[in-house]
Amino acid sequence: MQQISHTKSSIAVLVVDDEESIRTILSRYLALKGYTVLTAPDGNQAMEILHSQPVDLVLTDLMMPNVNGRELLQKMAELFPEIPKIVLSGYGTNEDMLVALKTGAYDFIQKPLTDFEILDKAVERAVESKLLKEERDRYIQQLTYLNDIIGFLNKGVSLEQIFDIIASRMKKAIPFNRLAIALINDAGLVETTLVSSDKPVLIKPGATFPLEESSLVLVAQTKKYDIISDLEEYSKKHNSEKARLLLQEGMQSTMTVPLVVGGRLKGFLLFASCNKNAFAPEHVQFAETISGHIVFSLQRGELLHQLDMYNKKLEEIVKIRTHQLLKTQKATIFALSSLAELRDPETGYHL
């Protein structure tokens, strides 16, 4: 599993306490640590915030007016079970601790808080736990998508069907607006075989270009993926015609994944997005996992297509030969019939 990385500024912590001084101290401290901090004086306002914007962690008191900490924990357990909760309370009894833990509280810290290092570690562990669960769920989801795609690819359907399957299923895991498969043909040229896009495209399916003269040459040499996060900047720096064409189509970033089978480069998967910085290494991992299956399915699809064409030609030959045979048989029967009608001119008997 890849290491989880995040910036603290992207982590939103909600502090819930009826004492304004406590809210101020905690929010300032957490903000200094780099977190984005939200505050609420009671459980009622806390629920309003939870319903209106993303929150990664909740720090809550227990004794509060309106909706108290216990009620907040219970409501969160029903509606937001994925958000970790840390209880901060100066009146915590063993019963309170048990209720907090039963309703999904990640930790229980006694007030007054004299050692903020305890809070630091509790917050970091809770956030890391949430991110790990999200990462696990993402991997499970990607595995589901992979199994789905591979299951369809193994059915041996046509090139167009294969591509439709790839385009529709991959969009669940990779945020692209355009996908193209470019294969290296027998002449060594790169041929854009199929294109799927939700915008008009300038590079049409069937277009060919020399590999050595394209921006794909580095990917071909290294057999490693390439991500361009900002096409506009890339176009200015490298004077790239391909980048200019993609910009005209409204694309802002690209990802190129080589299709390699048995160490040999067979082609490329070309992704493009209308957004900058759309692609990440995790998207590459997903595409690379099924790249071999894609090449195999494309090759098998082409073989099946050729076999189908051969069968059709064979059927046509059989039809022609059958027609010729029937004509020959008819001619023979006619000749025999004519012969049967012949009579000896002297005797009048059939010959």
Side-chain angles (χ1 to χ4, degrees):
M1 180 179 291
Q2 69 187 62
Q3 186 177 358
I4 297 172
S5 61
H6 63 275
T7 57
K8 285 186 176 180
S9 61
S10 66
I11 303 299
V13 180
L14 173 59
V15 176
V16 188
D17 200 300
D18 60 325
E19 294 185 48
E20 186 177 356
S21 59
I22 298 294
R23 294 200 306 273
T24 301
I25 291 170
L26 289 175
S27 60
R28 285 180 179 176
Y29 179 78
L30 292 168
L32 285 172
K33 288 291 181 177
Y35 296 102
T36 297
V37 185
L38 308 165
T39 61
D42 56 47
N44 191 38
Q45 289 192 32
M47 288 303 297
E48 290 179 5
I49 292 172
L50 289 168
H51 279 292
S52 64
Q53 62 190 91
V55 173
D56 298 291
L57 173 66
V58 172
L59 298 178
T60 182
D61 189 16
L62 284 181
M63 304 297 291
M64 295 181 293
N66 300 323
V67 176
N68 63 35
R70 279 191 177 191
E71 293 169 319
L72 175 62
L73 290 172
Q74 289 169 349
K75 287 187 176 183
M76 286 187 65
E78 295 174 8
L79 301 174
F80 305 99
E82 74 283 359
I83 300 176
K85 303 162 281 287
I86 295 176
V87 173
L88 291 163
S89 181
Y91 305 97
T93 63
N94 288 336
E95 184 184 353
D96 289 330
M97 291 179 67
L98 285 173
V99 170
L101 294 173
K102 282 182 179 179
T103 51
Y106 185 82
D107 210 339
F108 193 103
I109 300 175
Q110 289 277 358
K111 290 195 297 186
L113 187 61
T114 56
D115 186 355
F116 277 85
E117 189 176 343
I118 295 173
L119 178 65
D120 282 344
K121 290 181 178 178
V123 169
E124 287 179 4
R125 286 196 301 265
V127 169
E128 191 69 15
S129 173
K130 179 177 183 289
L131 293 173
L132 281 168
K133 288 177 182 177
E134 289 175 352
E135 189 75 0
R136 179 201 62 192
D137 292 343
R138 186 157 52 248
Y139 274 113
I140 291 172
Q141 189 178 55
Q142 286 194 350
L143 281 172
T144 302
Y145 294 153
L146 280 172
N147 290 332
D148 190 21
I149 293 173
I150 291 170
F152 276 98
L153 291 178
N154 288 338
K155 290 182 178 179
V157 291
S158 68
L159 288 174
E160 288 75 14
Q161 288 173 310
I162 289 170
F163 190 70
D164 287 342
I165 290 164
I166 293 169
S168 61
R169 298 303 195 281
M170 268 198 173
K171 207 152 194 175
K172 295 177 181 178
I174 300 176
F176 66 87
N177 296 98
R178 173 184 166 184
L179 168 63
I181 292 183
L183 300 178
I184 300 173
N185 62 24
D186 294 337
L189 298 174
V190 179
E191 180 176 352
T192 307
T193 307
L194 296 160
V195 177
S196 173
S197 179
D198 55 13
K199 290 179 174 290
V201 296
L202 299 173
I203 303 174
K204 303 296 183 183
T208 59
F209 50 89
L211 177 60
E212 293 76 13
E213 298 175 13
S214 73
S215 58
L216 299 173
V217 66
L218 182 62
V219 178
Q221 290 171 350
T222 61
K223 296 186 178 68
K224 294 182 179 179
Y225 73 89
D226 179 52
I227 292 177
I228 300 174
S229 299
D230 188 337
L231 274 173
E232 188 173 2
E233 183 180 330
Y234 180 87
S235 177
K236 292 176 183 176
K237 187 179 293 185
H238 299 278
N239 193 28
S240 170
E241 179 64 23
K242 177 190 169 187
R244 281 195 291 273
L245 286 173
L246 289 169
L247 284 167
Q248 289 179 45
E249 295 174 4
M251 301 297 118
Q252 295 293 326
S253 60
T254 62
M255 179 175 74
T256 304
V257 178
L259 295 173
V260 180
V261 177
R264 295 182 61 187
L265 181 68
K266 298 291 185 179
F268 309 89
L269 283 177
L270 308 170
F271 298 87
S273 171
C274 296
N275 301 312
K276 294 180 181 179
N277 304 302
F279 303 110
E282 66 186 60
H283 300 133
V284 176
Q285 290 174 0
F286 183 88
E288 285 180 336
T289 302
I290 62 170
S291 62
H293 292 276
I294 290 172
V295 174
F296 174 74
S297 294
L298 288 171
Q299 290 174 335
R300 183 171 59 181
E302 183 61 33
L303 286 172
L304 288 171
H305 176 69
Q306 291 176 1
L307 182 61
D308 184 55
M309 294 295 293
Y310 175 79
N311 285 334
K312 286 180 179 177
K313 286 181 180 179
L314 190 60
E315 287 174 6
E316 190 64 30
I317 291 171
V318 169
K319 283 181 182 178
I320 292 171
R321 294 294 295 161
T322 302
H323 180 68
Q324 290 174 342
L325 183 61
L326 287 172
K327 282 181 67 177
T328 302
Q329 287 176 340
K330 285 181 180 179
T332 303
I333 292 170
F334 179 76
L336 290 172
S337 299
S338 300
L339 185 62
E341 293 298 322
L342 291 176
R343 297 174 180 271
D344 188 309
E346 295 182 359
T347 63
Y349 293 111
H350 288 290
L351 294 175

